[in-house]
Amino acid sequence: MTDTIEAPQAVKQINHWIGGRRVAGTSGRTSPVYNPATGEQTGALDLATPAEVDQAVRAAKQAFETWRTWSLAKRAELFFTIRELLHERREEVAKILTAEHGKVLSDAIGEVTRGLEVIEFCCGLPSLLKSEFSEQASTGIDVYSIRQPLGVVAGITPFNFPAMVPMWMWAPAIATGNTFVLKPSEKDPSPSLWTAELLKEAGLPDGVFNVVMGDKVAVDAVLEHPDIAAVSFVGSTPIARYVYETATSKGKRCQALGGAKNHMIVLPDADVDMAADAAVSAAYGSAGERCMAVSQVVAVGNVAEPLIEAIKQRIPNVKVGDGMDASSEMGPLITKEHRDRVASYVENAPGEGATVLVDGREGAPDDGFFLKPSLIDNVRPGMKAYEDEIFGPVLGVTRVDTYDEAVGLVNDNPYGNGTAIFTRDGGAARQFQFDVQAGMVGINVPIPVPVAYYSFGGWKASLFGDRHIYGPEGIDFYTRGKVVTSRWPDPATSKVDLGFPQTR
Ligand code: NAD
């Protein structure tokens, strides 16, 4: 592929989407949007006031009255149309995504494709909403359960997957009959507006899907709004905790997915080349800005030397450049501030007693927010490079002597999103799956993001709430149960009975 697109010449104003149309902001506050590959500002994002959030919620509340009456068959048919349109035009949204996020185009297309899988799962909503029925639970009495939508629900999303993570939320929310208000990241908001237009084109009624652009003011307005029944959040752990505590204190259902520090354990019997390929792919793909990125390799025993050597050899081959250049494998970071923060871990590592084997600050392109892959050896608990979620192309290596020490590191870590083990020993892998405290586990798979018909979510500080996102738990999150007890007796047999109803 040789695709390139020009960065927009003028800074474009990025508005809200309320009630099926673009709505210009009135706050007078805006936030800059950049092309991270050039460092140039390409957009000015309207930041919503609480009144604008309220306007979106009112549009969603009004639309809910009709949307919830749509038959399952009609909703499923619409989802098939959405799936077809998105599938056909996924490269279009991927280009918009790359221009604001920076990830390489092939990675952006991959993101949209993984999001599409969630939409495909939702095409089966008639099956997903099937309930239980007990005939003759008591004499002449039937009992059955139904699941109904919550009403207006909201999603607050991070910068690193500006198309896929919103799909994790809006697709199951809307499929199950809710109406939706999305507050995307202010750093790369345009894929959300593109999605809104696509959903309208597909035939989604106005007001079912709304987008409010904004910062903390908009988030707080969402959390406070009495007509929002549930909030899904994906982002960093401190904000996830805040969102969960605030939303639940207001009586809302909430799932808040947070940050991560994903360890990849390599046992002495692992295939070294395969483990090195996996570590390089999972650490530096998307410039390490993935919540499932491997940020820490744990080398057990004598695998350390050959493994580190194999990783080091591969790093110079990673092609860093503009994500629109088809030959690039790794793009820039999201902002200059974030790039500088990530680089500071490399700078400070020697002072902490770690060893910088590859310094990604050297030779990084001057334009834009680039940092090349870095590799740090002898990273240990207590060091900032170990404790913090770096969220960039910096891979740490910790050397340990035993499997138990390796698992102990993962289990002692406050995060519990993803983890992986590389080994040829099935027994060791099975023991790892049993022992490890993390929500998503890979066995010779470095980024074990579950397929769409399972659910995604971490443990410990990587998830606040008791429902994982998308898959069956996503359907559960966006619906609530009702149990109906019914009888059709002959009125002639009716009598007053003050006794407690019994089932026999
Ligand atoms: P972030 O927490 O800074 O922002 C996420 C959302 O919260 C954005 O919409 C933002 O506008 C809003 N926000 C930011 N500060 C806020 C505040 N003070 N009050 C209220 N709202 C606020 O996260 P990010 O930098 O956009 O994304 C990267 C983070 O997201 C990483 O920590 C990464 O691990 C995490 N993440 C987790 C998952 C997961 O599934 N667990 C997936 C993707 C990203």
Side-chain angles (χ1 to χ4, degrees):
M1 224 185 304
T2 54
D3 269 318
T4 53
I5 61 165
E6 302 297 325
Q9 293 300 309
V11 169
K12 66 174 183 231
Q13 196 71 26
I14 305 171
N15 308 130
H16 314 297
W17 180 273
I18 299 173
R21 62 186 181 88
R22 281 179 192 255
V23 174
T26 58
S27 70
R29 292 193 310 127
T30 59
S31 178
V33 175
Y34 296 97
N35 178 347
T38 62
E40 284 164 11
Q41 184 181 350
T42 57
L45 178 75
D46 289 334
L47 298 175
T49 61
E52 284 159 336
V53 172
D54 180 57
Q55 195 186 340
V57 175
R58 277 188 284 124
K61 194 175 173 186
Q62 196 184 348
F64 178 67
E65 295 309 318
T66 312
W67 180 240
R68 74 183 295 252
T69 67
W70 273 44
S71 70
L72 300 185
K74 214 171 145 191
R75 265 190 257 152
E77 187 181 29
L78 176 60
F79 262 77
F80 275 102
T81 308
I82 293 169
R83 189 269 168 199
E84 281 311 297
L85 276 180
L86 245 174
H87 181 73
E88 272 167 28
R89 292 168 51 187
R90 62 192 191 281
E91 198 162 321
E92 192 183 312
V93 67
K95 285 180 181 169
I96 293 169
L97 198 162
T98 291
E100 288 185 356
H101 176 282
K103 66 176 70 176
V104 298
L105 191 57
S106 56
D107 195 26
I109 293 171
E111 162 176 352
V112 179
T113 307
R114 286 305 296 265
L116 258 172
E117 290 173 15
V118 175
I119 290 168
E120 287 160 1
F121 174 75
C122 291
C123 288
L125 71 102
S127 301
L128 298 169
L129 289 176
K130 269 168 81 172
S131 295
E132 296 158 321
F133 189 99
S134 301
E135 185 187 44
Q136 196 76 342
S138 183
T139 307
I141 291 184
D142 303 327
V143 179
Y144 52 97
S145 64
I146 48 183
R147 292 202 75 79
Q148 295 190 330
L150 305 177
V152 181
V153 299
I156 301 163
T157 52
F159 79 82
N160 65 325
F161 286 107
M164 180 183 75
V165 168
M167 287 187 225
W168 289 358
M169 301 175 182
W170 65 254
I174 288 175
T176 49
N178 301 279
T179 53
F180 197 79
V181 177
L182 173 65
K183 204 305 284 174
S185 168
E186 56 272 54
K187 298 187 180 110
D188 44 16
S190 294
S192 296
L193 277 184
W194 184 93
T195 301
E197 282 171 354
L198 179 123
L199 293 177
K200 188 178 171 90
E201 187 183 329
L204 189 75
D206 292 347
V208 175
F209 179 81
N210 306 276
V211 186
V212 282
M213 303 300 184
D215 54 7
K216 180 171 167 51
V217 173
V219 171
D220 285 343
V222 165
L223 299 178
E224 299 283 337
H225 203 293
D227 288 332
I228 292 179
V231 177
S232 298
F233 173 90
V234 175
S236 60
T237 286
I239 311 298
R241 184 180 283 117
Y242 167 74
V243 165
Y244 183 77
E245 287 173 357
T246 312
T248 52
S249 76
K250 305 288 172 193
K252 301 182 196 314
R253 187 177 284 188
C254 185
Q255 55 182 182
L257 283 73
K261 188 83 184 180
N262 304 314
H263 293 56
M264 170 175 153
I265 294 176
V266 184
L267 295 187
D269 71 338
D271 183 290
V272 168
D273 284 324
M274 189 173 96
D277 286 339
V280 169
S281 312
Y284 306 124
S286 201
E289 291 174 325
R290 291 179 180 147
C291 65
M292 290 292 278
V294 165
S295 51
Q296 197 65 36
V297 162
V298 184
V300 180
N302 58 14
V303 79
E305 288 301 335
L307 178 67
I308 290 167
E309 196 46 44
I311 294 174
K312 241 173 87 179
Q313 273 175 12
R314 283 160 172 75
I315 289 178
N317 300 331
V318 176
K319 293 198 72 177
V320 177
D322 188 331
M324 290 300 180
D325 180 339
S327 68
S328 301
E329 294 174 301
M330 190 186 115
L333 280 88
I334 185 73
T335 58
K336 179 179 182 306
E337 294 69 31
H338 186 55
R339 191 267 317 272
D340 294 346
R341 184 184 156 274
V342 173
S344 75
Y345 287 94
V346 184
E347 182 169 345
N348 297 331
E352 295 194 293
T355 318
V356 177
L357 298 179
V358 182
D359 187 337
R361 295 170 299 167
E362 291 167 7
D366 292 334
D367 292 339
F369 313 138
F370 286 95
L371 185 67
K372 292 178 85 172
S374 296
L375 180 65
I376 310 179
D377 193 7
N378 299 312
V379 176
R380 285 185 297 278
M383 298 177 179
K384 276 186 78 58
Y386 183 84
E387 301 296 336
D388 294 359
E389 179 186 38
I390 299 175
F391 219 57
V394 178
L395 178 62
V397 180
T398 305
R399 300 171 184 235
V400 297
D401 292 328
T402 64
Y403 163 86
D404 286 342
E405 281 176 80
V407 175
L409 281 175
V410 182
N411 289 354
D412 288 345
N413 199 272
Y415 297 108
N417 214 38
T419 187
I421 192 164
F422 277 69
T423 179
R424 283 184 272 202
D425 179 343
R430 190 172 185 281
Q431 191 61 41
F432 180 69
Q433 152 202 317
F434 185 78
D435 291 335
V436 79
Q437 291 174 24
M440 293 167 284
V441 178
I443 295 173
N444 299 317
V445 173
I447 303 192
V449 173
V451 291
Y453 43 96
Y454 284 78
S455 297
F456 178 111
W459 286 14
K460 300 189 276 185
S462 295
L463 175 85
F464 301 89
D466 56 5
R467 289 288 185 287
H468 290 192
I469 206 162
Y470 71 72
E473 294 192 40
I475 300 296
D476 207 33
F477 179 79
Y478 291 119
T479 54
R480 58 185 159 184
K482 202 178 250 182
V483 176
V484 181
T485 304
S486 109
R487 65 182 182 132
W488 300 93
D490 178 351
T493 64
S494 178
K495 63 177 175 20
V496 172
D497 180 355
L498 300 191
F500 193 74
Q502 296 179 39
T503 54
R504 286 170 214 286

